[in-house]
Amino acid sequence: MHIPLNNRPADLTIGNLWSNIWQMSWPMFLIMVFNFFVGLADIYVAGFIGPEVQAAVGYISQIYFLVIIIANAISIGTLALVSRAVGAGDIDKARETARQSLIFSILVALALTAAGFLLSNTIISASGFPLNIRDISGNFFRIFILALGPNYILIVSNAIFRAAGEVTKPLLTMFLVSVVNIIGNFALVFGFFPFPEMGYIGIAVASAVSVTIGMFVNLLFFITDMWKPIYARPWKMAAHMIKKIVGLGWPAALLQIAWNAGSIVLYGILGRLGERSITALASITNGLRIEAIIYLPAFALNMAAAVLVGQNLGAQNPERAGKLGWKIAFTGVAIISLIALVIFIWARDFASFFTDDASVLEETTRYLRINMLSEPFMALGVVLAGGLQGAGDTRGTMWVIIIAMWFIRLPLAYFLAVIMDYGATGVWVAMVVSMNIQGLLMTWRFYRGYWKEIRTV
């Protein structure tokens, strides 16, 4: 099929390396900023209603994140396969991979939606919250589950467009999703004309409506000359293609589960510090919110690295893929180091935005100053992990992060904080040590170049 020039995917296998990096990075950064402000708006609006609603929003967000892990895993496998096909100039294969990913994501979402409704009471009861918070959480959960299908399609379709280098499409979609979500939070919760006043339930409705609109926008984008054939019948599952997507995606899912489970254990260690635990838990919560600023450019570069490495490997140009990976990584180190230096110097000022309690302010400041020492290594690890995942080396990145979390961070944190009685400072030090080792291991993995020989066909 003839594809007009202006509807072909962006060719990221030729031209200036820095131009390619910039072309992929700035839209990804803006998308991360949009997501950040949506999460901030949810918590901000919930705060106007009451602490019960804030607690429910936080709890359901954690559950929903676990459910979305599968969509993220499918998107990572899809991105690796589609970017390779696009880089190789095999547009038919890119389309078929996109079609199979969408079919698979729809079926998985339907199964999870059914399970969510059947188990909703059990899931909410497991929180141990008081009955009034359980009722709020249950209402949130059921609305979020209704939007699970659109959210899965949105996540996977965004990955397809990114893999093809068409980053302006997910950028426009996520801008619209974010605007609708944020405005919807205020309009539906408080009843701004012409919208009805829905109270706390408006937060969930705004989120569900926004992702559904985003899904339809992306489905419209698929009507372009390049992607339109994915709508052609028959829509059948191809077992061999689904197997490839799952094979690349399951390590990414396990990685996220291991990371989140490890974070829960880390909170448990802080909870064993007796009277000091409340201050420590409040400090890590505040510290992570501030660190989120640093993660925005890091994960934007992570996604850019995945696409650029994948496309260049598809074009049979592993050396160019390697150069791009290193350039993006060192760009990340430079940017993140600068931000970390600013936070290190003015740590107390940043901490004061989140607390006026003297002990929490002191501990949050200490948390920031210690953890800023690991941010350059974090940048290395996160960006190069994106390159490895784009190459299909999802198992390698999984093992690096599992080792850093479960074999270094958690044992060292327990030893320093509980056994040696260094308290929260011991945990902060363990976090720095593990992140530095994680960055070095990821750098070694990328340097060895095994990822250049991975075959996804």
Side-chain angles (χ1 to χ4, degrees):
M1 178 180 178
H2 173 70
I3 303 175
L5 191 61
N6 62 344
N7 281 321
R8 293 177 183 172
D11 191 346
L12 301 171
T13 64
I14 58 174
N16 182 270
L17 298 180
W18 290 112
S19 177
N20 291 159
I21 293 170
W22 174 251
Q23 181 180 346
M24 286 300 302
S25 298
W26 72 264
M28 294 298 99
F29 175 71
L30 289 180
I31 289 173
M32 296 300 297
V33 171
F34 297 157
N35 291 335
F36 174 78
F37 279 111
V38 168
L40 196 63
D42 286 346
I43 296 297
Y44 182 75
V45 172
F48 278 106
I49 306 172
E52 296 86 0
V53 176
Q54 279 190 315
V57 168
Y59 178 63
I60 296 303
S61 295
Q62 292 301 316
I63 294 176
Y64 204 63
F65 179 78
L66 289 174
V67 177
I68 291 297
I69 280 176
I70 300 177
N72 291 333
I74 295 172
S75 73
I76 288 173
T78 300
L79 187 143
L81 293 171
V82 172
S83 62
R84 286 271 191 127
V86 169
D90 192 344
I91 306 303
D92 289 334
K93 185 175 181 180
R95 291 190 192 111
E96 184 56 27
T97 302
R99 184 212 297 256
Q100 292 300 318
S101 298
L102 290 169
I103 294 173
F104 186 47
S105 63
I106 291 169
L107 293 177
V108 171
L110 288 174
L112 289 174
T113 299
F117 275 109
L118 289 173
L119 301 173
S120 60
N121 291 333
T122 302
I123 293 171
I124 299 304
S125 297
S127 67
F129 287 153
L131 289 178
N132 62 330
I133 300 182
R134 288 190 201 180
D135 289 340
I136 296 171
S137 299
N139 290 330
F140 271 128
F141 184 73
R142 281 181 280 275
I143 293 174
F144 280 139
I145 283 295
L146 281 174
L148 191 62
N151 213 344
Y152 263 57
I153 296 173
L154 177 63
I155 291 170
V156 173
S157 57
N158 278 341
I160 292 168
F161 292 131
R162 291 201 312 269
E166 298 179 303
V167 284
T168 55
K169 289 179 178 177
L171 174 63
L172 291 172
T173 299
M174 294 313 296
F175 174 74
L176 179 61
V177 168
S178 302
V179 169
V180 171
N181 199 332
I182 293 171
I183 293 176
N185 276 339
F186 290 92
L188 295 176
V189 169
F190 303 112
F192 296 161
F193 182 81
F195 301 100
E197 182 179 343
M198 303 179 69
Y200 72 84
I201 207 69
I203 298 174
V205 173
S207 178
V209 169
S210 67
V211 298
T212 302
I213 291 173
M215 175 194 70
F216 281 118
V217 170
N218 275 2
L219 291 178
L220 286 174
F221 282 147
F222 280 128
I223 298 178
T224 60
D225 286 336
M226 175 183 165
W227 296 109
K228 191 173 183 179
I230 70 172
Y231 285 121
R233 295 184 179 182
W235 267 58
K236 295 181 179 179
M237 287 184 65
H240 71 284
M241 186 65 72
I242 300 300
K243 184 178 179 180
K244 290 178 185 177
I245 295 169
V246 172
L248 291 170
W250 74 259
L254 185 58
L255 179 159
Q256 292 183 56
I257 292 170
W259 180 266
N260 284 279
S263 298
I264 292 171
V265 173
L266 195 70
Y267 272 79
I269 293 172
L270 290 170
R272 297 172 65 92
L273 300 180
E275 295 180 355
R276 298 172 293 174
S277 63
I278 295 177
T279 298
L281 289 168
S283 298
I284 193 173
T285 300
N286 294 337
L288 288 172
R289 287 178 181 173
I290 296 168
E291 277 191 291
I293 300 170
I294 297 178
Y295 296 148
L296 297 179
F299 281 101
L301 292 171
N302 165 283
M303 291 186 284
V307 175
L308 290 166
V309 169
Q311 281 204 20
N312 281 274
L313 286 178
Q316 303 297 314
N317 197 342
E319 297 309 313
R320 192 174 192 274
K323 288 180 181 179
L324 281 163
W326 289 119
K327 284 182 180 293
I328 299 172
F330 291 131
T331 299
V333 170
I335 294 172
I336 300 306
S337 297
L338 181 60
I339 299 173
L341 179 61
V342 171
I343 294 177
F344 182 90
I345 294 172
W346 288 284
R348 180 174 291 274
D349 298 297
F350 280 99
S352 66
F353 280 108
F354 293 90
T355 183
D356 54 6
D357 181 278
S359 60
V360 175
L361 178 61
E362 188 66 30
E363 195 60 62
T364 302
T365 301
R366 185 179 297 112
Y367 171 94
L368 291 173
R369 290 220 164 107
I370 292 175
N371 274 274
M372 288 307 103
L373 300 176
S374 69
E375 300 304 340
F377 294 90
M378 180 278 290
L380 268 179
V382 167
V383 176
L384 292 178
L388 291 170
Q389 288 179 332
D393 189 13
T394 52
R395 296 189 186 188
T397 56
M398 175 191 74
W399 283 116
V400 167
I401 291 175
I402 287 177
I403 288 170
M405 172 61 81
W406 287 91
F407 292 90
I408 298 172
R409 176 174 297 194
L410 297 179
L412 184 59
Y414 184 82
F415 175 76
L416 293 176
V418 179
I419 296 178
M420 298 301 295
D421 198 31
Y422 288 122
T425 300
V427 174
W428 312 155
V429 171
M431 292 173 71
V432 169
V433 171
S434 66
M435 187 58 73
N436 288 356
I437 292 175
Q438 179 178 308
L440 291 173
L441 288 175
M442 207 72 77
T443 302
W444 177 248
R445 181 87 183 179
F446 195 85
Y447 172 76
R448 292 299 299 270
Y450 297 130
W451 52 273
K452 297 178 182 178
E453 302 168 7
I454 294 176
R455 297 288 179 262
T456 59
V457 296

